[in-house]
C-alpha cells in the first residue's frame, strides 16, 4: 500500500512537505488498519530513509523520532516479528540517526530526544527561540489521506469504519 504524498503541490501552496505528524496520521488512518486486517505472520520493512528531513531526494520532513514511532507501531503486528532491511536514504547523517532511532524502538529503548527541525531552527533565527511543539498534520496532507482511505475502502473493510 502506498500513500503518494503531493510534496510539490504542498510547497507551491506555501504548505509544508509531509513530516512526522502527517506520516503518523497516515499510519493510523490507513496503513495500520490494513496491516491488522491482513494479519501478517512476519513484517518485512524496506527501511529507506528518503523521507527523512535533509534527504536530498525525498523532500519530506520525517525526524528520527517519527521513524521511532513508526517502528514502535509496527512492532504491534505479527507478535512483534519485524525485520528492517536498510536500503536507502541519501544523507548519511539523517539515515544513520533514523536507523539508530528504529533500532532503539526494536530494542525497547526510549525514544531519542527531539531535536528542532531545520524549519524550526530557521524560524527561531527570525522569531527568537521557542520550544518545539507537537505538530498537527497539514490540511492538504490530511485531505490526501482521507481521499486515499476512501479509495482503498473498496478493498479493505477496516477502512470502512469511521476514521478519526
Amino acid at each position: 500500500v502506498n500513500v503518494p504524498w503531493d510534496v510539490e503541490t504542498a510547497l507551491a501552496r506555501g504548505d509544508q512537505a509531509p513530516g512526522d505528524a502527517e506520516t503518523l496520521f497516515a499510519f493510523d488512518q490507513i496503513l495500520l488498519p490494513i496491516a491488522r486486517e491482513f494479519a501478517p505472520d512476519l513484517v518485512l520493512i524496506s527501511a529507506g530513509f528518503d523521507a527523512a528531513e535533509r534527504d536530498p531526494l525525498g523532500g519530506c520532513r520525517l525526524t528520527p523520532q517519527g521513524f521511532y514511532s513508526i517502528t514502535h507501531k509496527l512492532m504491534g503486528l505479527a507478535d512483534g516479528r519485524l525485520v528492517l532491511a536498510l536500503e536507502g536514504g541519501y544523507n548519511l547523517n539523517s539515515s544513520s540517526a533514523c536507523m539508530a532511532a528504529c533500532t532503539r524502538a526494536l530494542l525497547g529503548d526510549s525514544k531519542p530526544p527531539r531535536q528542532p527541525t531545520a524549519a524550526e531552527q530557521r524560524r527561531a533565527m527570525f522569531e527568537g527561540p521557542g520550544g518545539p511543539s507537537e505538530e498537527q498534520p497539514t490540511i492538504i496532507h490530511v485531505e490526501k489521506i482521507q481521499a486515499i482511505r476512501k479509495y482503498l475502502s473498496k478493498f479493505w473493510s477496516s477502512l470502512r469504519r469511521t476514521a478519526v
Side-chain angles (χ1 to χ4, degrees), residues 49-67:
F49 297 106
D50 305 33
E53 185 177 47
R54 296 186 180 98
D55 186 273
L57 291 181
C60 295
R61 306 176 300 112
L62 270 79
T63 66
Q65 295 74 23
F67 281 105

Side-chain angles (χ1 to χ4, degrees), residues 3 7 12 19 32 37 40-41 53 55 61 80 107 114 124 127 145:
V3 176
V7 175
L32 289 174
E37 183 176 346
D41 294 322
E53 185 177 47
D55 186 273
R61 306 176 300 112
L107 293 172
R114 186 178 184 285
E127 298 174 2
I145 291 165

Side-chain angles (χ1 to χ4, degrees), residues 20-21 24 63-73 97-98 100-115 134:
D20 294 349
L24 293 169
T63 66
Q65 295 74 23
F67 281 105
Y68 175 98
S69 295
I70 290 168
T71 304
H72 188 0
K73 287 176 181 281
C98 292
C102 292
T103 302
R104 289 176 71 105
L106 290 172
L107 293 172
D109 292 345
S110 61
K111 187 184 286 192
R114 186 178 184 285
Q115 301 297 317
E134 283 294 316

Side-chain angles (χ1 to χ4, degrees), residues 25-93:
F25 187 69
F27 261 80
D28 291 339
Q29 294 298 308
I30 298 171
L31 302 171
L32 289 174
I34 289 173
R36 288 185 191 108
E37 183 176 346
F38 184 74
D41 294 322
L42 175 68
V43 178
L44 301 173
I45 303 297
S46 177
F49 297 106
D50 305 33
E53 185 177 47
R54 296 186 180 98
D55 186 273
L57 291 181
C60 295
R61 306 176 300 112
L62 270 79
T63 66
Q65 295 74 23
F67 281 105
Y68 175 98
S69 295
I70 290 168
T71 304
H72 188 0
K73 287 176 181 281
L74 290 170
M75 290 172 61
L77 301 169
D79 291 324
R81 291 184 293 273
L82 182 68
V83 175
L84 274 69
L86 184 58
E87 60 82 18
Y90 302 93
N91 179 307
L92 186 57
N93 291 329

